[in-house]
Amino acid sequence: MPLPILAITSGEPAGIGPDLCAALPRREWPARLVVLGDRAMIAARIHAVEPALDIVDYAPDAAPRPGALEVLHVPMATKAVPGRLDAANARYVLDVLDRAIAGCKSGEFAGMVTAPVHKGIICDAGVPFSGHTEYLAEATGTPLVVMMLVGGGLRVALATTHLPLKDVSAAITRPLLTDTLRILHTDLRQRFGLAAPRILVAGLNPHAGEGGHMGMEEIEVITPVLEQLRAEGMQLIGPLPADTLFVPHTLKQGDAVLAMFHDQGLPVLKHASFGGGVNVTLGLPIIRTSVDHGTALDLAGSGRADPGSLFAAVELAIAMAQGQTKT
């Protein structure tokens, strides 16, 4: 049986994405890993770290070469300098993503793993871009996707993602929360092999609103949604105060957490797993995992970038592609 092929996007060329790719051949993987990006740039960056590493051009029907790095060439607009962002290459970064998405949609790739991009420089180039998650949703015609990070024994999904804090309350509506929990429940079953997932749901306000004294969102939005979905058979616990949800005794009662906003859930997970966490996009028709860190411009080209999160993202994508459960 042929090995599944995973697309590994090399990310922002001024960041550590290309450096991380150099570490992939250090392991034997139960999949064929193909790095997408500018071949000359990747070769230069990788050979600065791994001088003896063989780089071969990707051909879908070719047999993989153990110990070599397969590269699918996507040309850059201009030469990249490690640590120095250039808006001229913003379109290139999106071209790499588009090629990976197209390959996943066609069945050429079993899934995609993304190295970090720099949102600001893409926006500076005149392309509105709030993140991989939203871009993938639009590219696949998916009306709603859910960001979930996995690591340190935790699975933490988000009801809202890249929003200013002042906009979070208005964004958390009954339809959004209902759809988010349904996607989370479905993918925990189908992608993670949990027959009856238990989901811990955080409140929005301190002390989960303190009975309405610190906010009404729990009473007016979150609790009615949980009651409705419990009646449909979902195992939902909450709304829980976030400051006591993330303690060992409570976490043992659930298989995943739904946090209401980005910085409510992710600091805890990154404290537990930094360097080995994985970002997963739920609700897509394709498999997508990613590193849980940024472009680290100060480390680009230094040979000191830690590939732990990329390795974990690849491991999880392989497990999901093979229908296995993976924490």
Side-chain angles (χ1 to χ4, degrees):
M1 184 175 180
L3 294 174
I5 304 175
L6 291 183
I8 316 295
T9 65
S10 53
E12 166 55 49
I16 61 171
D19 304 57
L20 297 176
C21 294
L24 291 171
R26 295 176 191 170
R27 289 191 183 181
E28 291 186 11
W29 302 93
R32 186 175 165 191
L33 308 184
V34 179
V35 175
L36 278 61
D38 186 273
R39 192 188 194 284
M41 179 272 295
I42 291 173
R45 294 284 292 280
I46 285 177
H47 285 153
V49 180
E50 299 279 355
L53 181 62
D54 287 336
I55 297 176
V56 297
D57 292 322
Y58 164 70
D61 299 325
R65 277 179 47 186
L69 190 74
E70 287 191 81
V71 174
L72 193 165
H73 177 60
V74 179
M76 285 194 306
T78 188
K79 184 177 180 179
V81 178
R84 188 182 304 169
L85 294 169
D86 189 336
N89 278 325
R91 183 64 254 175
Y92 155 77
V93 172
L94 299 180
D95 288 344
V96 169
L97 282 177
D98 290 342
R99 178 62 179 88
I101 293 166
C104 288
K105 290 169 68 175
S106 71
E108 176 186 6
F109 303 132
M112 61 187 291
V113 180
T114 56
V117 299
H118 194 285
K119 301 180 186 70
I121 200 66
I122 296 174
C123 291
D124 288 347
V127 181
F129 184 84
S130 58
H132 275 114
T133 302
E134 296 82 0
Y135 190 83
L136 288 163
E138 183 175 355
T140 58
T142 307
L144 179 67
V145 294
V146 176
M147 178 189 292
M148 182 171 78
L149 268 77
V150 178
L154 302 174
R155 301 183 184 99
V156 179
L158 303 177
T160 63
T161 53
H162 302 116
L163 283 180
L165 195 56
K166 66 181 178 63
D167 297 335
V168 170
S169 177
I172 298 174
T173 63
R174 290 191 188 187
L176 173 78
L177 200 54
T178 300
D179 292 344
T180 297
L181 280 164
R182 284 185 172 142
I183 290 170
L184 176 57
H185 181 266
T186 297
D187 274 21
L188 287 172
R189 294 181 64 206
Q190 296 180 354
R191 302 285 198 192
F192 289 82
L194 298 169
R198 303 164 300 163
I199 301 172
L200 305 171
V201 181
L204 173 65
N205 298 294
H207 301 178
E210 193 82 45
H213 295 288
M214 294 187 182
M216 294 296 293
E217 289 86 354
E218 287 77 12
I219 293 172
E220 295 177 350
V221 178
I222 301 174
T223 296
V225 169
L226 299 189
E227 290 175 348
Q228 173 194 341
L229 295 179
R230 286 189 193 110
E232 297 178 8
M234 291 190 199
Q235 297 188 61
L236 306 172
I237 304 168
L240 300 171
D243 62 342
T244 55
L245 188 163
F246 290 103
V247 298
H249 172 74
T250 305
L251 289 171
K252 287 179 182 177
Q253 301 174 44
D255 300 300
V257 171
L258 180 66
M260 291 297 111
F261 57 94
H262 188 280
D263 281 13
Q264 182 185 59
L266 297 196
V268 179
L269 184 135
K270 291 193 176 186
H271 174 74
S273 68
F274 192 75
V278 181
N279 186 345
V280 187
T281 306
L282 306 179
L284 292 172
I286 63 177
I287 291 170
R288 181 262 175 163
T289 67
S290 181
V291 297
D292 73 342
H293 56 73
T295 52
L297 298 173
D298 57 322
L299 293 177
S302 70
R304 295 184 286 112
D306 182 353
S309 183
L310 180 63
F311 283 3
V314 171
E315 289 171 355
L316 182 54
I318 293 171
M320 293 172 70
Q322 295 175 339
Q324 300 173 0
T325 304
K326 185 76 174 178
T327 302

